[in-house]
């Protein structure tokens, strides 16, 4: 089959790889009909390369049609249309019983001290082949796949794999009080979806970015926007819009791709000059994150407020301002989204003919797998309005 594979920093290729087969009785095989390109995939493109192996199949936002099921998968049948959550969870362990699916004890990657295995996301998360491919083996298929009806376009459901539940969790974790204000740092896919969800829930939203097209999307979704490049102090600007206090809650939807720390960016690039085992240890124990968005979030939130962290940080970060955080009496919530925990909230919106979250119009580009190398480069460079790419195998 054809698949998108990693071969080095900024080296994404499309290759023929062996078709997946049933390996465990809880497996299923799906024919992929759509697969998203996520901002988190760009972390593999460059800063998380020490944990990658040439030939790794990438991608963690797939959906498709069931082709085959293992003997212990009774909830699926050949021909079912399914969305695949990005994490692999069993549904019955101690963590899964508490709906902490990204901490599944059955699939935890203990070698690296990581949570549940993820599709297409490096050794840190199990080296499981990903979904930017023509076919995908789905472990723990007795629980993970989300069945969706035939009829609506793939894009109506595809983002249930990651974007929509991640944004829903980000807003839920932000715990905005009634009548309060939510600030969203970054208007990439997760940030924009967080804005749409927050506005759907009736919240006031102030969104921050510096890319004109993204600021326009945020405004169209009902957010007040701040152009990062046009102000000297984002947190002070947010305070000026919130009676001098700051936002009640802040979503950091940026993570380690934040702008603003050229020293850390240089450190990330320098990792590529080290032996692979050494660079992996440096990232895990010393850290090279760019924390500008997180530090701005901690500054911009009001005293007694909450910061919800959905942007991915890949290693140790610079020391946090703990004295300020303690003095401001902040709450900080974070983590990979527990996808199926939020499906009951998001699915009715996906099924609504009015498409209130704008799912069908969310992607900016639909391309073939053959176009993956250029799509990755364009997405990283924000070229040609590239905001969200969907591959059609």
């Amino acid at each position: 089959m054809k698949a998108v594979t990693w071969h080095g920093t900024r080296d994404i290729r499309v290759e023929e790889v062996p078709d997946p087969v049933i390996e465990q009785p809880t497996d299923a095989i799906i024919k992929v009909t759509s697969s998203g390109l996520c901002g988190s995939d760009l972390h593999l493109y460059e800063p998380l390369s020490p944990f990658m192996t040439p030939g790794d199949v990438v991608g963690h936002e797939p959906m498709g049609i069931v082709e085959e099921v293992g003997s212990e998968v009774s909830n699926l049948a050949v021909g079912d249309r399914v969305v695949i959550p990005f994490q692999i969870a069993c549904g019955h362990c101690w963590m899964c019983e508490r709906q902490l699916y990204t901490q599944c004890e059955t699939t935890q990657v203990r070698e690296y001290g990581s949570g549940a295995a993820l599709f297409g996301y490096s050794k840190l998360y199990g080296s499981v082949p990903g979904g930017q491919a023509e076919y995908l083996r789905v472990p723990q298929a007795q629980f993970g796949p989300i069945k969706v009806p035939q009829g609506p376009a793939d894009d109506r459901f595809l983002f249930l794999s990651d974007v929509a539940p991640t944004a829903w969790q980000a807003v839920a974790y932000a715990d905005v009080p009634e009548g309060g204000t939510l600030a969203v740092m970054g208007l990439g896919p997760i940030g924009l979806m967080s804005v749409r969800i927050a506005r759907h829930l009736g919240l006031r939203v102030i969104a921050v970015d510096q890319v004109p097209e993204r600021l326009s999307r945020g405004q169209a979704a009902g957010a007040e926007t701040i152009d990062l490049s046009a102000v000297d102090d984002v947190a002070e600007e947010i305070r000026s819009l919130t009676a001098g206090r700051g936002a009640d809650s802040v979503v950091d939807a940026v993570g380690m791709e934040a702008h603003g720390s050229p020293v850390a960016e240089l450190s990330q690039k320098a990792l590529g000059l080290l032996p692979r085992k050494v660079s992996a240890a440096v990232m895990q124990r010393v850290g090279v994150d760019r924390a500008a968005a997180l530090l701005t979030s901690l500054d911009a939130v009001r005293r007694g407020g909450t910061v919800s962290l959905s942007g991915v940080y890949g290693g140790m970060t610079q020391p946090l301002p703990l004295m300020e955080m303690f003095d401001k009496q902040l709450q900080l919530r974070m983590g990979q989204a527990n996808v199926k925990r939020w499906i009951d909230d998001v699915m009715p919106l996906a099924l609504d003919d009015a498409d209130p979250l704008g799912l069908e119009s969310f992607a900016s580009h639909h391309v073939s797998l053959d176009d993956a190398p250029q799509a990755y480069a364009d997405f990283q460079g924000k070229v040609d309005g590239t905001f969200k790419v969907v591959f059609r195998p």
Side-chain angles (χ1 to χ4, degrees), residues 43-342:
H43 301 150
L44 307 180
Y45 197 55
E46 190 165 18
L48 290 185
S49 60
F51 301 101
M52 298 294 289
T53 300
D56 281 351
V57 179
V58 294
H60 59 270
E61 297 183 350
M63 68 174 293
I65 305 298
V66 176
E67 291 271 309
E68 185 180 359
V69 297
S71 60
E72 294 182 13
V73 179
S74 59
N75 56 311
L76 297 178
V78 172
D80 282 347
R81 189 184 192 196
V82 292
V83 174
I84 308 301
F86 68 87
Q87 79 262 159
I88 302 169
C90 70
H92 58 73
C93 68
W94 192 90
M95 289 290 182
C96 285
E97 286 177 349
R98 286 152 182 81
Q99 297 186 307
L100 294 169
Y101 303 121
T102 59
Q103 311 305 326
C104 174
E105 292 179 327
T106 300
T107 72
Q108 276 180 19
V109 185
R110 291 177 172 83
E111 178 183 358
Y112 288 95
S114 303
L118 309 180
F119 287 101
Y121 215 74
S122 81
K123 294 176 183 177
L124 281 175
Y125 290 100
S127 294
V128 181
Q132 290 172 8
E134 293 181 302
Y135 293 89
L136 176 69
R137 180 178 74 90
V138 181
Q140 303 298 326
Q142 83 290 343
F143 175 72
I146 302 162
K147 287 196 279 190
V148 298
Q150 303 290 341
D154 273 11
D155 282 20
R156 183 67 72 90
F157 302 114
L158 175 63
F159 305 113
L160 299 179
S161 63
D162 182 351
V163 175
T166 294
W168 195 281
Q169 177 173 295
V171 175
Y173 278 11
D175 194 24
V176 185
E178 185 175 352
T181 298
L182 174 69
V184 176
M185 299 294 168
L187 282 169
I190 301 301
L192 180 63
M193 187 60 72
S194 296
V195 170
R196 291 184 179 183
I197 289 168
R199 293 296 297 146
H200 174 75
L201 296 174
L203 301 175
R204 180 194 182 195
V205 181
I206 300 171
V208 181
D209 206 293
Q210 62 180 359
V211 180
E213 295 89 347
R214 295 186 175 195
L215 289 166
S216 295
R217 287 190 181 95
Q219 291 167 358
E224 302 164 52
T225 58
I226 296 173
D227 183 346
L228 175 65
S229 64
V231 299
D232 294 328
D233 188 330
V234 169
E236 189 58 38
E237 189 72 15
I238 290 173
R239 281 190 284 273
S240 75
L241 297 172
T242 54
R245 296 188 186 92
D248 297 285
S249 306
V250 180
V251 167
D252 173 2
V254 180
M256 66 178 170
E257 290 300 308
H259 298 276
S261 179
V263 173
E265 181 174 4
L266 181 62
S267 298
Q268 286 182 347
K269 292 179 178 178
L271 281 177
L273 304 177
L274 298 174
R276 186 169 297 275
K277 288 184 178 180
V278 175
S279 59
V282 168
M283 175 161 277
Q284 284 186 295
R285 298 182 183 279
V286 178
V288 290
D289 283 334
R290 287 175 271 176
L294 176 56
L295 294 175
T296 301
S297 299
L298 295 170
D299 189 8
V301 71
R302 68 160 168 82
R303 292 178 178 274
T306 300
V307 173
S308 172
L309 182 57
S310 64
V312 173
Y313 287 91
M316 297 290 185
T317 189
Q318 64 191 69
L320 294 175
L322 289 175
M323 184 173 74
E324 177 187 352
M325 294 165 65
F326 181 84
D327 181 65
K328 290 180 71 173
Q329 201 168 338
L330 301 185
Q331 298 184 73
L332 184 62
R333 297 197 70 182
M334 67 189 79
Q336 302 275 13
N338 302 296
V339 171
K340 295 196 74 172
R341 162 67 177 83
W342 309 107

